[in-house]
């Protein structure tokens, strides 16, 4: 039995809007073109024989070979993926639960709380990086002393600190997106589920989450993107064992961007496109 | 379905965390250096010869390195400061004196690059690469002779110039034209620089410290005041890009290796320094970064084409000066340049 | 209609029970450790002085804030930093408006697309942003530079113009770069609102005789307002602090507030002043945010 009552009425283009919708479709096509022009360029130039210049020097796979052999760059890419994945998971959990709790309950000092959540989005990246750097430095000595009493592990700048930093500025995005979705939601949705005997957490899971899913997915996508591309904060809180892709790329840019970076981008684009198509197929199969 | 997704995600989380505890048992070296300034071939060679694993962390500016070093909470064994930063670190006693018994290859360094004012006893640093800041001219577009800063900014090349995005450099150039030393940055001297820069800055099209060669290669500018390494790369690409050391005086910078105080793997750091001082290894660095190699033995091994590069190995008797640490004046310079940049009316 | 960000309309205005507080604790702890504590550190720093190395010296002073608001020579209100700040606001505002105009129709299109397609289209919007920011920007530089693709196309291939057109290192290039970077940040939230639009409301508007423009003004716009507001905030605020694009595509000739702050830590060695600048931005937004959410509450009650 489906937990959610039926969604708003099925889509049926009303007359008069047909033209507007067609125009929007056309406009979107143009915008997508705009978004993809540099990407197409990157892909094409990843096969260009001549380095550093605009002319076409001939078709070649050498940049992909160079990329394959560039151990540190690939490792940096892996690090970035791991960090982005963890960040997205944490951000979604914190943000969704936070938004829902703020919606459901009237917490004291609610406005201050909302403002606080807002701060990581507003703060300039350098400021955030520096303040976290100092914070981690201050707590590392006493923390390590405490840790040494029962474990070999040590607190150092690295994966953990980067994930923390990224999550801190990603989860507000999730929170805001989910909150936006919560406005005007039918309050009886949850109550109906609970009246039928479901405990609050189950009601949340089976009723709210599906409803919130579009907001969660879109903000998860945004979190992942933000984390993958984040440079400045990462610079300040990272350590030598977890150098990320943006850090590596920035460094390479100083030497002169060579097309193996284009090759890397192409690999990313192709991999993501493939993953998306795959996910789509899987979903269709599950229906 | 959804619970399994959650579990997978949690598993990811858990696997990521322990990685920060690793690498404590093996022999390691924590190297903190400029982005892409130490070729991978050098690092791999070192690991192969000694078995020591090298963890590399990069920075993009001296101040960034200073910030992270001084904030604490991390264990760097080797850093790569520029000359004035070496001086600053010595002043606050943040460097370990080097044990030259462990670095016999120090004899390969050309003596004229040791014991310079920023490290007078030569105790704390070993030169990595030497360079200058000078003028690159696209001779295909610029037909008039360029001998110094005044020629660059004489008004005929308006908006066809790229310069470093470095306030200290910019102020130094202005002061050089009125005969003031790069290290004499008193408020009175800075006042002298103001009108000069007010005239110069509107003529600049691009400020870029990271890759000024891009603007030159793309034809967006014809002249540049850039690092000699950038100029050398340009010359290698196309001989039309000549390099001129300004007659009024140029900045000679020396990037060095140094060991921060409290480094956990000091002996490994010294081994590394000794390794890169080997001529055949030093040559690898020159391959990637055509700056001036201070290793006299390595220079002998360079190819004639590399020696001929006017940006890497300038000829003549140029007027050169190294930077000293200027302490508080760093702030004044930044204020000066920011004010001028912001006050510029849109053309 | 309420803003997306703000005090939420609570379903029952219930006070939280033990379970509520328990579930809230992780987020509260997180905020305390990684937002409040670092911000406080910076606040303290902004009132400190600096030593030769640029590190903080714990001696109280107002001078950092004075420098932001008052001209050091004349003592009057108005300083370089305010000018820089205003210019950054201008660019950010322009970017936001353009993103809104360009992005809203796209969000509409995606939100009204058949259900299976929507996630696909959203991901298509995001994919370009999984390549590195720097590489994308350099791609634009390759396109727009004097020897670049666009100019080659115009001059050599189609001979539409005689001399290459200088597109790069202009304010226009900067705006292009900014819009390119922040467009998805507008599309995603607006999509969220469009997607949950109740079609029957729109149909009702038409049945009552409204044309498309009227329907948009009176029905669609108000209903998608939460998404629009969220989108505006998500574009405006980050683009204020952005400086990489002004440097890479604009040549760095006009300093932005983000660049100035960056400089304090990475060149000028003046951490306290940098902290003060950062704090000013944060406080400004906190105040604006606080006031608007208060107004929303007042409107509700």
């Amino acid at each position: 039995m489906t937990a959610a009552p039926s969604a708003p009425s099925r889509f049926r283009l009303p007359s008069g809007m047909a033209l507007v919708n067609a125009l929007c479709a056309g406009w979107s096509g143009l915008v997508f073109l705009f978004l993809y022009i540099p990407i197409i360029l990157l892909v094409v130039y990843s096969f260009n024989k001549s380095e550093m210049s605009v002319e076409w020097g001939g078709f070649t796979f050498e940049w992909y070979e160079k990329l394959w052999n560039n151990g540190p760059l690939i490792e940096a890419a892996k690090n970035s993926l791991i960090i982005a994945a963890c960040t997205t998971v944490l951000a979604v959990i914190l943000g969704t639960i936070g938004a829902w709790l703020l919606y459901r309950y009237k917490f004291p000092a609610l406005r201050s709380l909302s403002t606080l959540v807002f701060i990581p989005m507003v703060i300039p990246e350098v400021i955030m990086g520096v303040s976290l750097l100092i914070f981690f430095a201050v707590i590392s000595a006493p923390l390590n002393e405490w840790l040494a009493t029962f474990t070999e592990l040590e607190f150092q700048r690295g994966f953990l600190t980067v994930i923390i930093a990224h999550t801190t500025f990603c989860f507000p995005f999730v929170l805001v997106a989910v909150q936006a979705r919560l406005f005007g939601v039918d309050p009886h949705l949850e109550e109906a589920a609970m009246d039928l005997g479901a405990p609050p957490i189950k009601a949340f899971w089976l009723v709210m989450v599906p409803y919130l899913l579009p907001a969660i997915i879109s903000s998860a996508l945004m979190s992942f993107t933000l984390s993958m591309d984040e440079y400045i904060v990462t610079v300040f809180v990272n350590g030598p064992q977890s150098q990320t892709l943006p850090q590596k790329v920035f460094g390479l840019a100083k030497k002169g961007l060579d097309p193996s970076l284009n090759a890397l981008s192409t690999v990313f684009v192709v991999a993501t496109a493939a993953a998306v198509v795959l996910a789509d197929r899987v979903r269709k199969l599950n229906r | 379905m959804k619970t399994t997704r959650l579990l997978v995600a949690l598993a990811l989380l858990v696997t990521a965390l322990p990685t920060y505890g690793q690498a404590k048992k093996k022999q390691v070296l924590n190297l903190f250096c400029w982005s892409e300034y130490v070729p991978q071939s050098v690092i791999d060679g070192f690991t192969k010869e000694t078995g020591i694993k090298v963890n590399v962390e990069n920075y993009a500016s001296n101040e960034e390195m200073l910030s992270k070093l001084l904030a604490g909470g991390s264990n760097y064994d080797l850093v790569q400061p520029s000359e004035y930063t070496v001086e600053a670190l010595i002043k606050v006693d943040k460097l370990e004196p080097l044990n030259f018994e462990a670095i016999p290859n120090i004899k390969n360094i050309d003596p004229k690059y040791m014991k310079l004012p920023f490290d007078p006893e030569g105790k704390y640093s070993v030169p990595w690469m030497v360079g200058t800041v000078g003028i690159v001219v696209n001779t295909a577009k610029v037909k008039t002779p360029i001998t110094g800063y005044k020629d660059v900014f004489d008004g005929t090349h308006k908006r066809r110039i790229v310069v470093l995005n470095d306030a200290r450099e910019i102020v130094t150039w202005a002061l050089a034209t009125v005969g003031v030393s790069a290290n004499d940055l008193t408020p009175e001297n800075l006042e002298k620089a103001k009108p000069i820069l007010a005239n110069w800055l509107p003529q600049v099209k691009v400020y870029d410290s990271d890759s000024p060669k891009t603007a030159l290669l793309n034809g967006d500018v014809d002249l540049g005041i850039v690092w000699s390494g950038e100029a050398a790369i340009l010359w290698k690409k196309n001989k039309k890009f000549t390099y001129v050391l300004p007659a009024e005086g140029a900045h000679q910078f020396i990037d060095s290796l140094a060991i921060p105080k409290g480094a956990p793997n000091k002996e490994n750091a010294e081994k590394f320094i000794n390794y890169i001082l080997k001529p055949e290894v030093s040559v690898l660095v020159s391959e990637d970064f055509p700056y001036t190699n201070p290793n006299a033995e390595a220079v002998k091994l360079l190819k004639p084409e590399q020696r001929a590069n006017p940006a890497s190995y300038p000829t003549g008797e140029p007027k050169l000066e190294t930077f000293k640490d200027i302490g508080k004046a760093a702030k004044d310079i930044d204020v000066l340049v920011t004010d001028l940049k912001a006050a510029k009316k849109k053309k | 209609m309420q803003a997306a960000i703000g005090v939420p309309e609570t379903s029952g205005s219930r006070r939280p029970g033990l379970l509520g507080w328990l579930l809230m604790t992780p987020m509260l702890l997180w905020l305390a450790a990684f937002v409040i504590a670092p911000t406080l550190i910076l606040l303290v720093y902004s009132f400190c002085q600096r030593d030769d190395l640029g590190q903080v010296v714990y001696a109280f002073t107002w001078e950092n804030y004075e420098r932001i608001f008052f001209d050091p020579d004349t003592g009057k209100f108005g300083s370089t930093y305010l000018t820089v700040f205003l210019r950054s606001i201008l660019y950010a505002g322009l970017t936001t408006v353009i993103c809104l105009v360009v992005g809203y129709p796209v969000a509409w299109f995606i939100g009204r697309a058949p259900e299976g397609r929507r996630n696909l289209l959203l991901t298509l919007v995001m994919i370009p942003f999984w390549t590195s920011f720097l590489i994308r920007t350099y791609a634009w530089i390759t396109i727009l530079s004097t020897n670049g693709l666009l100019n080659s196309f115009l001059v050599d291939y189609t001979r539409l113009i005689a001399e290459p057109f200088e597109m790069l290192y202009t304010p226009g290039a900067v705006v292009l770069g900014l819009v390119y970077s922040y467009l998805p940040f507008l599309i995603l939230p607006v999509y969220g609102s469009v997607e949950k639009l109740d079609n029957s409301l729109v149909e009702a508007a038409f049945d009552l005789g409204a044309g498309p423009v009227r329907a948009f003004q009176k029905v669609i716009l108000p209903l998608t307002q939460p998404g629009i507001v969220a989108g505006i905030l998500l574009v405006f605020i980050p683009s204020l602090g952005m400086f990489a694009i002004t440097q890479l595509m604009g040549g760095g000739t006009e300093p932005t507030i983000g660049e100035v702050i960056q400089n304090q830590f990475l060149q000028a060695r003046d951490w306290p002043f940098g902290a003060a600048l950062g704090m000013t931005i944060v406080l400004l937004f906190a105040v604006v945010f606080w006031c608007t959410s208060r107004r929303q509450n007042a409107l509700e009650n």
Side-chain angles (χ1 to χ4, degrees):
Chain A
M1 172 175 153
T2 46
S6 62
S9 58
R10 295 274 130 232
F11 277 105
R12 228 181 59 222
L13 285 175
S15 60
M17 283 301 278
L19 180 62
V20 172
N21 286 335
L23 282 175
C24 283
W27 180 258
S28 301
L30 283 177
V31 173
F32 272 101
L33 192 67
F34 171 63
L35 286 179
Y36 276 87
I37 286 182
I39 310 300
I40 299 175
L41 205 76
L42 285 176
V43 174
V44 166
Y45 272 81
S46 68
F47 298 107
N48 184 4
K49 225 195 189 83
S50 70
E51 238 187 293
M52 259 203 238
S53 75
V54 178
E55 305 103 44
W56 182 256
F59 192 91
T60 175
F61 274 113
E62 68 180 275
W63 306 116
Y64 286 90
E65 273 186 63
K66 194 156 173 232
L67 177 66
W68 186 255
N69 292 329
N70 191 340
L73 190 61
I74 295 191
E75 180 156 342
K78 267 194 270 184
N79 291 340
S80 279
L81 284 169
I82 294 177
I83 291 173
C86 295
T87 301
T88 307
V89 167
L90 275 175
V92 162
I93 295 177
L94 276 176
T96 311
I97 298 186
W100 181 68
L101 285 172
L102 283 176
Y103 156 78
R104 192 157 198 275
Y105 298 115
K106 201 181 181 88
F107 282 93
L110 192 55
R111 225 178 312 127
S112 335
L113 208 61
S114 303
T115 316
L116 262 185
V117 167
F118 199 50
I119 286 185
M121 291 202 292
V122 172
I123 211 170
E125 290 180 311
V126 173
I127 302 279
M128 184 170 189
V130 169
S131 62
L132 281 174
L133 169 72
I134 301 170
F135 177 73
F136 287 134
V138 162
I139 65 166
S140 75
L143 187 60
N144 280 331
E145 267 180 54
W146 179 67
L147 281 175
T149 57
F150 60 88
T151 171
E152 277 272 313
L153 294 177
E154 202 182 65
F155 177 78
Q156 266 178 34
R157 287 202 291 267
F159 274 107
L160 185 63
T161 50
V162 178
I163 293 177
I164 290 177
H166 286 200
T167 308
T168 309
F169 67 75
C170 281
F171 96 82
F173 284 95
V174 178
L175 197 128
V176 162
V178 173
Q179 258 191 345
R181 184 104 174 136
L182 278 170
F183 275 103
V185 72
D186 187 348
H188 302 302
L189 223 57
E190 267 190 292
E191 288 177 16
M194 288 196 283
D195 286 343
L196 291 166
I201 297 199
K202 214 154 181 226
F204 173 72
W205 192 249
L206 290 174
V207 173
M208 272 315 208
V209 170
Y211 174 72
L212 294 174
L213 212 52
I216 294 181
I217 291 184
S218 68
S219 55
L221 278 176
M222 201 185 291
S223 291
F224 193 82
T225 314
L226 284 174
S227 172
M228 279 298 287
D229 230 1
E230 165 50 45
Y231 175 64
I232 297 181
V233 179
T234 317
V235 154
F236 281 102
V237 301
N238 208 350
Q241 282 148 309
S242 43
Q243 294 287 285
T244 61
L245 192 60
Q247 286 180 290
K248 262 304 194 203
V249 169
F250 253 73
L252 284 170
K254 296 185 73 164
K255 257 183 89 176
L257 289 181
D258 74 69
S260 60
L261 287 174
N262 291 347
L264 183 66
S265 305
T266 310
V267 168
F268 264 100
V269 170
V270 168
T272 343
V276 165
V277 168
L278 200 69
D280 209 46
R281 291 280 167 81
V282 166
R283 221 171 35 86
K284 291 211 179 92
L285 281 176
N286 270 356
R287 285 200 169 255
Chain B
M1 189 67 201
K2 293 194 177 129
T3 19
T4 38
R5 274 207 316 237
L6 235 172
L7 287 174
V8 168
L10 280 170
L12 259 176
L13 245 180
V14 170
T15 44
L17 292 180
T19 48
Y20 70 71
Q22 289 176 343
K24 274 181 49 154
K25 316 290 172 66
K26 297 172 45 163
Q27 285 289 322
V28 287
L29 176 70
N30 294 319
L31 176 62
F32 195 24
C33 58
W34 288 86
S35 311
E36 300 303 313
Y37 210 5
V38 180
Q40 191 59 35
S41 49
V42 169
I43 296 180
D44 292 337
F46 177 71
T47 306
K48 213 161 147 208
E49 188 174 295
T50 61
I52 301 174
K53 181 173 187 298
V54 182
N55 295 321
V56 182
E57 190 175 336
N58 297 132
Y59 53 84
S61 79
N62 281 297
E63 270 67 14
E64 188 185 316
M65 180 260 286
L66 265 180
S67 316
K68 294 187 86 169
L69 200 63
L70 296 172
S74 201
N75 313 315
Y76 301 117
D77 298 313
L78 208 51
V79 292
Q80 214 180 29
S82 300
E83 76 280 17
Y84 58 94
T85 314
V86 173
E87 186 180 345
L89 286 170
I90 296 177
K91 266 196 211 166
V92 291
D93 193 30
K94 283 284 184 182
L95 289 181
E96 294 273 0
L98 297 172
N99 175 11
F100 287 106
E101 312 260 322
I103 315 177
N105 286 336
I106 190 76
K107 60 178 168 35
N108 294 339
I109 294 282
D110 190 329
K112 75 177 181 210
Y113 296 119
M114 294 292 291
K115 302 218 172 84
L116 288 169
F118 61 88
D119 184 8
E121 295 162 53
K123 272 201 331 196
Y124 297 96
S125 64
V126 171
W128 169 262
M129 274 289 165
V130 175
T132 52
V133 175
I135 305 174
V136 170
V137 185
N138 182 345
T139 50
K141 287 286 191 65
V142 176
K143 303 297 185 189
T144 55
I146 306 278
T147 57
Y149 305 115
K150 292 213 203 76
D151 292 335
V152 173
F153 291 107
D154 64 8
T156 54
H157 311 287
K158 214 168 147 87
R159 301 280 299 168
R160 301 295 302 172
I161 305 172
V162 58
V163 302
L164 297 174
N165 191 13
D166 187 318
R168 182 163 183 191
E169 291 285 340
I170 296 176
V171 168
T172 308
W173 309 331
L175 289 177
T177 60
V178 285
V180 174
S181 152
N183 298 311
D184 193 10
L185 298 171
T186 60
E188 298 78 42
N189 285 333
L190 289 181
E191 277 301 311
K192 287 193 204 158
K194 256 199 209 165
I196 304 176
L197 289 178
N199 175 26
W200 284 6
L201 294 187
Q203 301 184 39
V204 173
K205 190 172 183 191
V206 185
Y207 293 88
D208 189 348
S209 282
D210 295 316
S211 185
K213 55 183 174 307
T214 313
L216 282 156
L217 278 173
N218 284 343
D220 285 295
V221 295
D222 305 318
L223 288 169
I225 309 185
V226 305
W227 317 108
S228 54
E230 298 275 305
I233 294 178
L234 282 169
W235 189 82
K236 262 166 67 167
K237 271 218 150 295
N238 190 324
K239 306 281 186 289
K240 73 181 180 187
F241 292 109
T242 59
Y243 186 67
V244 175
L245 281 173
E248 300 100 330
H251 171 210
Q252 178 182 63
F253 60 86
I254 303 182
D255 294 326
S256 315
L257 289 175
I259 302 182
K261 223 176 189 68
N265 301 298
K266 183 162 183 282
E267 296 79 37
N268 292 349
E270 282 157 353
K271 281 197 198 136
F272 187 80
I273 298 179
N274 199 41
Y275 178 76
I276 59 105
L277 285 174
K278 285 205 253 187
E280 57 274 19
V281 176
S282 192
V283 168
L284 292 175
V285 181
S286 274
E287 277 288 321
D288 265 7
F289 306 101
Y291 286 97
T292 313
N293 197 327
N295 187 328
E297 298 298 313
V299 170
K300 292 186 193 152
L301 295 178
L302 290 175
K303 300 199 268 279
E305 163 116 344
Q306 286 174 297
R307 288 284 283 125
N309 193 325
S312 315
Y313 299 98
T315 50
E317 290 288 322
K319 195 166 155 209
L320 297 171
E321 201 175 2
T322 52
F323 275 178
K324 297 198 66 173
D325 180 56
I326 44 170
K328 285 196 170 354
K331 164 191 153 184
D332 301 325
I333 299 179
D334 181 74
V335 171
L336 178 70
V337 174
T338 308
D339 280 348
L340 285 172
K341 272 194 199 175
K344 240 171 4 82
K345 298 283 176 279
K346 289 204 208 284
K347 52 166 171 61
Chain C
M1 284 297 153
Q2 296 180 324
I5 301 177
V7 180
E9 160 200 326
T10 47
S11 67
S13 302
R14 267 165 285 193
R15 305 219 92 231
L18 184 63
L19 184 65
W21 276 108
L22 212 62
L23 287 173
M24 199 56 159
T25 318
M27 191 173 104
L28 288 174
L29 280 179
W30 191 282
L31 284 175
F34 305 119
V35 178
I36 300 183
T39 313
L40 282 177
I41 295 180
L42 272 181
L43 193 64
V44 168
Y45 272 34
S46 66
F47 287 107
C48 289
Q49 297 174 20
R50 66 187 276 276
D51 67 7
D52 277 1
L53 231 58
Q55 303 285 291
V56 287
V57 163
Y58 292 101
F60 186 87
T61 173
W62 283 107
E63 72 179 6
N64 295 314
Y65 286 100
E66 276 171 17
R67 256 178 81 193
I68 298 179
F69 293 103
F70 298 99
D71 190 292
D73 299 324
T74 62
K76 289 201 304 216
F77 186 76
S79 70
T80 319
Y81 302 102
L82 285 182
T83 318
V84 170
F85 203 5
L86 258 101
R87 190 178 292 133
S88 302
I89 292 185
L90 208 73
Y91 269 109
L94 190 61
T95 306
T96 311
V97 168
I98 296 183
C99 278
L100 202 56
V101 168
V102 170
Y104 193 99
V106 181
W108 180 265
F109 169 66
I110 301 180
R112 311 279 290 177
E115 208 168 315
R117 288 265 192 87
R118 274 178 247 154
N119 282 343
L120 184 68
L121 287 171
L122 270 188
T123 320
L124 274 182
V125 169
M126 297 308 294
I127 285 183
F129 298 85
W130 286 334
T131 56
S132 156
F133 162 78
L134 197 63
I135 301 181
R136 287 198 306 276
T137 312
Y138 268 101
W140 275 113
I141 292 180
T142 314
I143 297 176
L144 296 175
S145 67
T146 310
N147 289 348
L149 286 173
L150 195 55
N151 273 319
S152 306
F153 182 71
L154 289 172
V155 175
D156 300 326
Y157 285 108
T158 59
R159 299 188 198 277
L160 277 172
I161 55 178
E163 283 285 314
F165 187 55
E166 278 192 16
M167 288 172 283
L168 208 52
Y169 309 123
T170 60
V174 174
V175 174
L176 182 105
L178 285 172
V179 168
Y180 187 82
S181 297
Y182 288 106
L183 203 53
F185 286 68
L186 186 115
I187 294 181
L188 285 176
V190 175
Y191 157 78
S193 277
V194 170
E195 200 265 349
K196 70 173 189 169
L197 206 57
D198 188 343
N199 209 40
S200 52
L201 287 172
V202 182
E203 281 182 55
F206 280 109
D207 290 341
L208 291 170
V213 176
R214 211 95 199 277
F216 182 74
Q217 214 182 335
K218 296 283 182 204
V219 177
I220 299 175
L221 192 59
L223 285 177
T224 51
Q225 196 197 22
I228 296 179
V229 172
I232 289 180
L233 282 161
L234 289 181
V235 171
F236 184 76
I237 294 163
S239 58
L240 251 194
M242 156 71 76
F243 57 87
I245 295 190
T246 34
Q247 280 185 351
L248 287 169
M249 293 184 73
T253 44
E254 291 176 335
T256 57
I257 195 72
E259 185 181 331
V260 170
I261 296 180
Q262 167 109 341
N263 270 353
Q264 303 312 310
F265 293 101
L266 299 185
Q267 268 200 40
R269 297 201 208 156
D270 197 349
W271 286 39
F273 186 57
L277 283 168
M279 282 286 103
T280 312
I281 295 187
V282 171
L283 285 172
L284 181 73
F285 276 104
V287 164
V288 168
F289 178 72
W290 179 278
C291 292
T292 43
S293 58
R294 184 182 230 156
R295 238 168 30 106
Q296 299 289 7
N297 267 8
L299 283 173
E300 274 176 72
N301 306 333

